Amino acid sequence: MKRILTYGTFDLLHYGHINLLRRARALGDYLVVALSTDEFNRSKGKECYFSYEERKQLLEAIRYVDLVIPERSWEQKADDVREYHIDTVVMGSDWEGSPRFEYLRDLCEVVYLPRTPEISTSQIKSDLGMATS
Ligand code: C2G
């Protein structure tokens, strides 16, 4: 049973997120998504359109997602890998080589998947004339 873990905000869920989740799940048998809490997002200077509970509900409806847990800090990842017996952490290529993930190589595999071009939550917000943060 190969267990995969990924992190994200997943606000205004879109096909770029789905492409990531589908490919991450395909690398194993079980996918855990650590979802940024509203408080953690505020610390990242992000204000989500959907609350944590709304974003969690959307993620739990996706066939590729087996479990959603809260991401409350940058520092929890090693504990998450241990607690959920993770084999591989998967992120989009915008995180490629980031020290926020590379240190996990002592504990598990780290894989970066190509981002889906042309779509992002901030792009959606600007196209809709919403303030992006
Ligand atoms: N993503 C993608 N293609 C896009 C947009 C997003 O592959 N067009 C991927 C990102 O690379 C990320 C995941 O989808 O792996 C979630 O994206 P965000 O919600 O923007 O997550 P982010 O703000 O990068 O938060 O601790 C790490 C953070 O929680 C990651």
Side-chain angles (χ1 to χ4, degrees):
M1 173 97 148
K2 195 167 176 199
R3 300 166 64 87
I4 313 290
L5 171 63
T6 191
Y7 291 82
T9 304
F10 296 99
D11 193 25
L12 295 183
L13 194 66
H14 55 69
Y15 64 89
H17 296 136
I18 301 301
N19 283 342
L20 187 283
L21 295 169
R22 183 185 66 255
R23 288 175 294 160
R25 175 66 176 73
L27 293 175
D29 309 287
Y30 189 87
L31 175 61
V32 180
V33 180
L35 179 63
S36 306
T37 60
D38 296 330
E39 298 73 22
F40 181 47
N41 274 319
R42 272 193 283 281
S43 78
K44 293 193 265 184
K46 278 183 162 184
E47 194 63 43
C48 283
Y49 182 81
F50 288 127
S51 69
Y52 174 80
E53 283 308 320
E54 291 162 340
R55 290 179 285 121
K56 180 172 186 279
Q57 188 184 350
L58 283 161
L59 282 174
E60 288 174 338
I62 298 170
R63 71 175 68 181
Y64 310 119
V65 176
D66 295 289
L67 177 66
V68 179
I69 62 171
E71 179 190 30
R72 302 183 198 286
S73 74
W74 292 110
E75 294 77 29
Q76 70 181 70
K77 297 185 176 67
D79 291 340
D80 293 341
V81 168
R82 291 188 195 98
E83 183 175 349
Y84 293 94
H85 311 290
I86 298 299
D87 299 288
T88 306
V89 167
V90 175
M91 291 301 289
S93 51
D94 46 317
W95 289 94
E96 184 122 23
S98 165
R100 293 204 183 279
F101 289 93
E102 286 300 305
Y103 77 102
L104 295 169
R105 290 189 187 283
D106 297 338
L107 296 170
C108 63
E109 199 186 6
V110 178
V111 170
Y112 302 102
L113 299 173
R115 263 177 82 89
T116 302
E118 280 111 45
I119 183 76
S120 68
T121 302
S122 38
Q123 185 67 49
I124 294 169
K125 285 182 176 177
S126 74
D127 288 354
L128 295 176
M130 293 162 62
T132 59
S133 65

